[in-house]
Amino acid sequence: MEYTEAELITIGDEILYGQTLDTNTQWMSVELDKIGIRIVRKTTVGDTEEAILQAFAEAESRAQLVLITGGLGPTPDDLTKPCLARYFHTELVLFQEALDQLTTFFESRGRKLNALNRTQAFLPQGCVMIPNTLGTAPGMWMQREGRVFISMPGVPHEMRKMMEDTILPKITATFQTPVFVHQMVRTVGIPESVLAVKIANWEKSLPDFTKLAYLPSLGQVRLRLTAKGTDKKGLEESVATEISKLKAHIGKYIYGYGEIRLEEAVGNLLKAQGKTIALAESCTGGLISHMITSVSGSSGYFRGSVIPYHNNLKKSLLGVTQEILETQGAVSEATVRQMAEEVRTLLGADIGIATSGIAGPTGATSEKPVGTIWIAVADDKTTQARLLQLTQARDVNIKLTAVAALNLLRQTLSEID
Ligand code: ATP
Ligand code: MG
């Protein structure tokens, strides 16, 4: 589709000389991009009529939409309005609506309008006035032969409010702007690089109007699909089709769509199956329990947890034998299996989950380097255990273990191997 192209002009000596950092065009660029307007150039000019008029003419030769900030104040150095009037071959006339708003603005602050302030109610004839609810200088929308000039105050919060309330919606209504359809696919248990290889062909076959972004976090990768076009329903259907194709490649790693978190997705599975869980968290120190209980309604499936950090508690509370501890150690498959099975019966849950590992940076042995972690999930039929070989960083290891344990629970509930 055709894009509407825009140019941004900032006016003011203080920006040109570096006394004020131009933050206006940065913010405007982001907001315009969101509604599908393509920025083709940004220009800064000083407070001279010649420079301003030249910038207008150049911008008009390139873009359909010209957005201007600054130079709207009541002082003689503010030249934007007279320049606009001249450029559009018109003159400044009194806008009664602007005068009324200005009078109300001053009265609400217990001040009287003086002659200089009154000049702010004079705008180029034929323009559409854009109200300024936070200041005194109204904005202006001027249009000729399919080209639009929009002038706004330089004061950043006034400009932003005007853009949000009036200008962005008016641009969307005036110009053909694309529709965006986003969908987030949430995966767990597969590294970004492995995922990228698995879906490479699918990614290549995506339609031109659909973009894919990889958004990794600890233990998880979100895939964001963005389709851009004009027909919202058609785009939604296309995205749904692509996602069903994606499922054929990586379905078992997908735990949800949109904003859902892993602990919520697991909670939903537990609720749907009417199952309860209990945890024995050694190296995760309660993090998994915290994640689970951060979800509203978790009391329906979360029985409770034990944090048997000391080996004596692994023995006395969870029946890990002295023999296992001596021959295989606290960080071992035998230990986490026993912990998961025992906490399940101890706390009267359908499923028990256990973690034990060397989070680091101390505690490593020659056979068990930092990052060696065992997790297990036990139900009434089987117990599954996994060895994780993680990183040197303690906090990373703890978080990765929590995600891996929740994923093992998810796999057990969904009968994924
Ligand atoms: P005023 O009525 O306050 O004079 P104005 O439209 O004339 O508004 P300016 O005088 O250009 O605007 O600037 C007002 C304030 O906004 C100044 O503090 C200026 O530094 C700041 N400002 C102007 N342009 C920008 C910009 N592009 N980015 C960030 N701040 C800006
Ligand atoms: Mg000014």
Side-chain angles (χ1 to χ4, degrees):
M1 71 171 292
E2 289 280 303
Y3 283 92
T4 298
E5 299 194 321
E7 179 152 340
L8 311 182
I9 301 174
T10 45
I11 298 175
D13 285 344
E14 77 274 25
I15 301 160
L16 209 51
Y17 303 145
Q19 291 144 357
T20 299
L21 179 66
D22 169 26
T23 54
N24 282 355
T25 64
Q26 191 269 334
W27 184 88
M28 288 159 73
S29 300
V30 171
E31 296 306 313
L32 289 164
D33 183 67
K34 281 187 200 160
I35 61 166
I37 300 290
R38 181 171 285 168
I39 313 292
V40 289
R41 194 170 298 217
K42 297 180 187 181
T43 307
T44 300
V45 290
D47 294 308
T48 69
E49 194 174 303
E50 191 196 352
I52 294 171
L53 288 173
Q54 206 175 4
F56 287 174
E58 286 176 13
E60 192 175 11
S61 73
R62 286 186 285 259
Q64 292 154 272
L65 186 56
V66 181
L67 292 109
I68 305 153
T69 74
L72 289 188
T75 52
D77 62 334
D78 291 312
L79 296 172
T80 307
K81 273 191 318 194
C83 285
L84 275 172
R86 196 161 154 201
Y87 191 73
F88 278 81
H89 309 295
T90 181
E91 53 196 320
L92 296 176
V93 296
L94 180 71
F95 271 56
Q96 190 57 44
E97 194 189 349
L99 186 62
D100 293 345
Q101 284 179 11
L102 213 54
T103 310
T104 314
F105 185 90
F106 274 83
E107 276 173 0
S108 71
R109 282 161 180 73
R111 289 166 55 196
K112 274 243 166 316
L113 204 66
N114 67 21
L116 209 55
N117 301 132
R118 220 176 110 80
T119 64
Q120 298 210 276
F122 282 77
L123 306 177
Q125 193 160 30
C127 82
V128 175
M129 182 194 110
I130 313 279
N132 181 350
T133 52
L134 301 176
T136 55
M140 284 151 278
W141 174 290
M142 302 187 73
Q143 198 158 349
R144 73 171 169 207
E145 290 155 21
R147 311 250 158 192
V148 170
F149 277 60
I150 299 164
S151 165
M152 291 167 277
V155 186
H157 72 275
E158 293 179 22
M159 177 281 292
R160 288 199 294 265
K161 182 93 171 97
M162 223 178 239
M163 285 279 284
E164 282 166 346
D165 289 356
T166 315
I167 294 167
L168 290 168
K170 197 164 158 66
I171 290 173
T172 309
T174 307
F175 292 94
Q176 200 193 18
T177 51
V179 180
F180 294 92
V181 171
H182 298 284
Q183 180 61 290
M184 192 77 88
V185 181
R186 307 181 75 102
T187 73
V188 61
I190 179 165
E192 187 184 12
S193 54
V194 181
L195 185 65
V197 171
K198 271 194 195 294
I199 65 175
N201 287 333
W202 169 81
E203 188 176 349
K204 269 190 219 125
S205 75
L206 282 173
D208 285 346
F209 56 81
T210 304
K211 294 259 172 296
L212 177 70
Y214 290 81
L215 308 168
S217 58
L218 285 178
Q220 305 193 31
V221 182
R222 286 168 300 152
L223 295 172
R224 192 186 56 218
L225 276 173
T226 303
K228 192 191 237 184
T230 48
D231 166 22
K232 185 157 192 265
K233 201 159 172 293
L235 292 174
E236 281 168 353
E237 281 167 11
S238 166
V239 167
T241 306
E242 294 308 329
I243 286 176
S244 66
K245 286 191 219 159
L246 178 67
K247 269 195 206 160
H249 300 284
I250 56 157
K252 65 179 182 175
Y253 303 103
I254 298 174
Y255 68 82
Y257 301 91
E259 290 307 308
I260 195 166
R261 290 175 294 148
L262 179 60
E263 48 272 36
E264 280 176 87
V266 170
N268 289 344
L269 285 171
L270 289 164
K271 264 191 290 192
Q273 298 180 17
K275 288 187 178 154
T276 59
I277 53 169
L279 286 96
E281 293 195 64
S282 185
C283 69
T284 44
L287 177 63
I288 306 172
S289 305
H290 168 71
M291 289 166 80
I292 287 168
T293 54
S294 74
V295 179
S296 163
S298 51
S299 58
Y301 47 82
F302 179 67
R303 281 276 187 267
S305 62
V306 174
I307 303 177
Y309 219 65
H310 198 282
N311 280 352
N312 284 350
L313 293 177
K314 292 186 180 74
K315 287 198 283 189
S316 63
L317 289 175
L318 298 171
V320 178
T321 62
Q322 186 63 30
E323 196 204 335
I324 290 179
L325 290 174
E326 275 168 18
T327 57
Q328 303 180 54
V331 178
S332 67
E333 177 167 4
T335 297
V336 284
R337 280 180 174 273
Q338 173 62 29
M339 283 166 62
E341 285 163 14
E342 192 65 25
V343 80
R344 180 181 165 264
T345 45
L346 182 69
L347 301 187
D350 297 307
I351 300 172
I353 299 136
T355 64
S356 183
I358 300 157
T362 57
T365 65
S366 54
E367 303 102 75
K368 292 175 186 166
V370 167
T372 304
I373 289 161
W374 278 96
I375 60 174
V377 171
D379 62 15
D380 59 341
K381 293 184 205 73
T382 55
T383 303
Q384 306 239 35
R386 296 273 186 280
L387 171 63
L388 312 174
Q389 301 283 8
L390 302 177
T391 73
Q392 295 298 309
R394 182 177 182 82
D395 60 335
V396 171
N397 290 343
I398 292 171
K399 284 178 190 150
L400 283 172
T401 304
V403 170
L406 285 171
N407 191 37
L408 187 56
L409 172 60
R410 179 187 77 90
Q411 289 169 320
T412 304
L413 291 166
S414 331
E415 295 176 6
I416 298 168
D417 45 50

